[in-house]
Amino acid sequence: MADNEFVLKGEGINKSYKSEQGEARLEVLKNVSLEIKKGSITAIVGSSGSGKSTLLHILGGLDKPDSGAVYWGDQLISSMNSDQLADFRNENIGFVFQFHHLLPEFTALENVSMPALISGMSIEDSSKRALQLLERFGVADRRNHRPTQLSGGEQQRVSMARALMNKPSIILADEPTGNLDDSNTSTILDMLFELRKQDDVTVLLITHEKAIAQRSDIVLEIKNGELSSL
Ligand code: ADP
Ligand code: MG
């Protein structure tokens, strides 16, 4: 892929939800288009309820637009069926959510191993890689803890390790520090910014933190369903 190529592109994305009274639909995204350049760090900001998560879910193939297209390179992912999408996400995308979304029944090591096990790697190899990632994020000593036995900062470190497990080309992070104190927030963000250097990944990050937005290459704002550059 050439340097100026786009990993991810949204074209004319519309998404609305039925409102409570069944009257006018709630138009969350109106004809949103964007291109995420390979190797960039893009931040999306916007007030609560402005449609940031909706957009991230659509771009990551977790949700479908009402109309419009999502491309990954030259693949049109908005037309894939759910099985194709699940495989595609597992192979290409690392998600980090605000509420970690770790599986409660499994240990940290098992949670991090999961994406690789799903894609067919052996238990031995996946455990080995998972442990290396836990070490990298400073939580290897918590490998046998379940999510409820981890602090918020530790849960997000484990989530970052899981997101990197299958060597994704892009990390989609939805307010990953939304529930953390200041010290954990800056650690997790430093780690996110390190990913580009160490792992050659592209990062798309939703955030409320002004300081983070300033460290990003590109800052986009969602307002009234429309996306603009800041
Ligand atoms: P943000 O992440 O910016 O806080 P969201 O993308 O989660 O905002 O939500 C945007 C708007 O869409 C909100 O008003 C929310 O209530 C509404 N919304 C989100 N998901 C649904 C849904 N499944 N059904 C109905 N309304 C929804
Ligand atoms: Mg949100």
Side-chain angles (χ1 to χ4, degrees):
M1 218 183 244
D3 275 355
N4 60 352
E5 279 194 42
F6 296 100
V7 221
L8 170 55
K9 187 159 84 171
E11 269 179 4
I13 295 171
N14 288 289
K15 183 75 179 179
S16 63
Y17 293 110
K18 221 168 114 184
S19 62
E20 283 296 302
Q21 288 76 24
E23 291 168 8
R25 290 177 70 87
L26 174 68
E27 289 188 59
V28 181
L29 301 174
K30 299 179 207 162
N31 197 29
V32 168
S33 297
L34 80 169
E35 289 177 328
I36 306 293
K37 207 175 142 188
K38 186 178 188 303
S40 63
I41 296 186
T42 302
I44 297 182
V45 299
S47 56
S48 178
S50 58
K52 303 180 298 296
S53 295
T54 302
L55 178 61
L56 200 84
H57 292 166
I58 289 172
L59 295 174
L62 288 169
D63 198 359
K64 298 247 180 208
D66 298 334
S67 63
V70 179
Y71 291 93
W72 275 73
D74 49 15
Q75 290 194 79
L76 180 65
I77 70 154
S78 42
S79 68
M80 287 183 184
N81 68 34
S82 52
D83 284 349
Q84 290 170 321
L85 270 174
D87 287 346
F88 184 85
R89 286 194 305 264
N90 185 250
E91 199 178 312
N92 297 288
I93 310 176
F95 288 98
V96 185
F97 298 99
Q98 180 177 3
F99 304 100
H100 59 84
H101 288 205
L102 295 167
L103 299 168
E105 301 300 315
F106 294 92
T107 65
L109 187 80
E110 289 164 344
N111 267 284
V112 177
S113 304
M114 202 65 74
L117 291 171
I118 289 168
S119 64
M121 194 187 274
S122 70
I123 291 183
E124 199 188 349
D125 288 347
S126 59
S127 302
K128 210 168 138 193
R129 174 160 168 79
L131 188 57
Q132 284 167 352
L133 285 166
L134 289 172
E135 270 163 13
R136 173 171 160 192
F137 291 112
V139 282
D141 57 343
R142 301 288 192 276
R143 61 184 171 279
N144 294 321
H145 289 216
R146 290 173 202 274
T148 54
Q149 302 166 325
L150 299 168
S151 72
E154 288 165 352
Q155 288 166 347
Q156 287 309 58
R157 288 161 193 246
V158 173
S159 301
M160 302 255 292
R162 178 185 56 180
L164 286 177
M165 188 66 194
N166 282 354
K167 302 188 171 146
S169 51
I170 189 166
I171 298 282
L172 299 182
D174 190 353
E175 302 194 50
T177 59
N179 288 308
L180 302 181
D181 58 27
D182 287 351
S183 133
N184 272 304
T185 293
S186 71
T187 309
I188 293 289
L189 289 171
D190 287 343
M191 288 173 166
L192 258 177
F193 279 83
E194 275 296 307
L195 298 181
R196 161 162 60 180
K197 275 192 237 156
Q198 284 197 32
D199 303 86
D200 193 28
V201 292
T202 303
V203 178
L204 179 59
L205 168 69
I206 290 174
T207 183
H208 271 114
E209 313 276 331
K210 283 241 156 61
I212 305 155
Q214 280 161 5
R215 284 169 68 182
S216 306
D217 301 320
I218 296 161
V219 183
L220 304 171
E221 183 182 30
I222 302 190
K223 210 173 178 178
N224 303 321
E226 289 169 11
L227 195 65
S228 58
S229 311
L230 278 189

